Amino acid sequence: EAQVTQNPRYLITVTGKKLTVTCSQNMNHEYMSWYRQDPGLGLRQIYYSMNVEVTDKGDVPEGYKVSRKEKRNFPLILESPSPNQTSLYFCASSSPKGTDTQYFGPGTRLTVL
Amino acid sequence: KQEVTQIPAALSVPEGENLVLNCSFTDSAIYNLQWFRQDPGKGLTSLLLIQSSQREQTSGRLNASLDKSSGRSTLYIAASQPGDSATYLCAVDNNDMRFGAGTRLTVKP
């Protein structure tokens, strides 16, 4: 089954404790991206990757890091989480940018205390 | 900077009604425009994708149109059903993806 998986689905952590949210897709997609969704602000893009070893900033990259060492994986790293990063995070993937719909993961609900 | 606006923010209709959701954007230099559905607490499901060279796309009871010159797209839902109740998001693809805030649709039996 074609899918985008994220782990963990729910996470409660404390300020400053490094964490990684994993994202994996099994559709051999070149393009992957991360979004956060906040009430009243909608979905905003954090980072995206056009292919392996190619990443770029989205709308709200501050406080986040990403890497794309393999085509299928695109982890989101919060080196020093802060309460304002409490949010619902989505990973998505698609074929070459602009040509196909994006497939979204189920979301990761992160709470930073 | 691309801005995407969706009107109305919320809509409640009786079952069986035809309805139109609106999306407007400020920068017409887009690769494509997509409509998504989001159920509470869930991820996004793609409904329709319209490439920049296309005017409309249809899938079942859904029809989406795109007018790049005016920066507008509409999602038409025919014969609405309670199962259509969800939040509908439009997103435009420039160099990054920009989403509207969504329209929360409730279809009453």
Side-chain angles (χ1 to χ4, degrees):
Chain A
E1 180 191 353
Q3 61 182 352
V4 179
T5 57
Q6 295 178 227
N7 282 293
R9 294 289 315 280
Y10 303 90
L11 179 61
I12 300 174
T13 189
V14 296
T15 299
K17 186 176 181 181
K18 181 179 178 179
L19 66 93
T20 299
V21 184
T22 64
C23 173
S24 183
Q25 50 93 4
N26 63 1
M27 295 167 278
N28 202 37
H29 284 162
E30 288 84 359
Y31 182 82
M32 297 186 74
S33 61
W34 276 102
Y35 302 87
R36 60 178 289 173
Q37 186 175 34
D38 302 288
L41 296 176
L43 269 152
R44 293 175 293 168
Q45 192 171 44
I46 303 171
Y47 268 97
Y48 62 94
S49 169
M50 304 284 270
N51 214 324
V52 176
E53 301 291 1
V54 181
T55 62
D56 212 342
K57 297 177 181 179
D59 204 20
V60 287
E62 295 78 20
Y64 304 94
K65 283 177 57 177
V66 293
S67 68
R68 187 90 182 274
K69 293 184 171 59
E70 306 166 280
K71 199 172 188 180
R72 64 182 293 127
N73 296 322
F74 191 43
L76 180 69
I77 303 158
L78 284 71
E79 295 268 3
S80 183
S82 61
N84 65 12
Q85 293 179 298
T86 293
S87 187
L88 179 60
Y89 291 86
F90 290 102
C91 179
S93 73
S94 71
S95 297
K97 184 174 173 55
T99 66
D100 193 9
T101 187
Q102 288 201 43
Y103 295 83
F104 278 76
T108 295
R109 186 166 293 281
L110 172 65
T111 301
V112 183
L113 302 174
Chain B
K1 180 178 173 180
Q2 177 78 271
E3 293 184 6
V4 182
T5 304
Q6 290 188 246
I7 294 173
L11 181 63
S12 181
V13 301
E15 182 177 3
E17 199 161 289
N18 302 325
L19 58 99
V20 174
L21 308 181
N22 296 291
C23 173
S24 62
F25 49 95
T26 55
D27 183 353
S28 62
I30 63 173
Y31 294 115
N32 61 52
L33 182 144
Q34 299 182 54
W35 283 93
F36 293 88
R37 168 186 174 135
Q38 185 175 27
D39 294 285
K42 300 288 178 63
L44 280 69
T45 301
S46 178
L47 298 173
L48 291 164
L49 178 147
I50 312 176
Q51 300 287 0
S52 62
S53 59
Q54 298 174 324
R55 297 285 299 206
E56 67 176 343
Q57 284 287 330
T58 298
S59 176
R61 294 182 293 107
L62 305 179
N63 176 277
S65 67
L66 174 63
D67 183 345
K68 275 200 330 178
S69 61
S70 67
R72 295 179 187 276
S73 175
T74 61
L75 179 66
Y76 175 82
I77 302 177
S80 59
Q81 303 170 357
D84 295 330
S85 298
T87 296
Y88 291 81
L89 298 161
C90 75
V92 294
D93 192 354
N94 295 100
N95 284 323
D96 52 9
M97 289 282 287
R98 299 278 176 166
F99 284 79
T103 294
R104 183 178 300 175
L105 173 65
T106 303
V107 182
K108 295 175 288 187

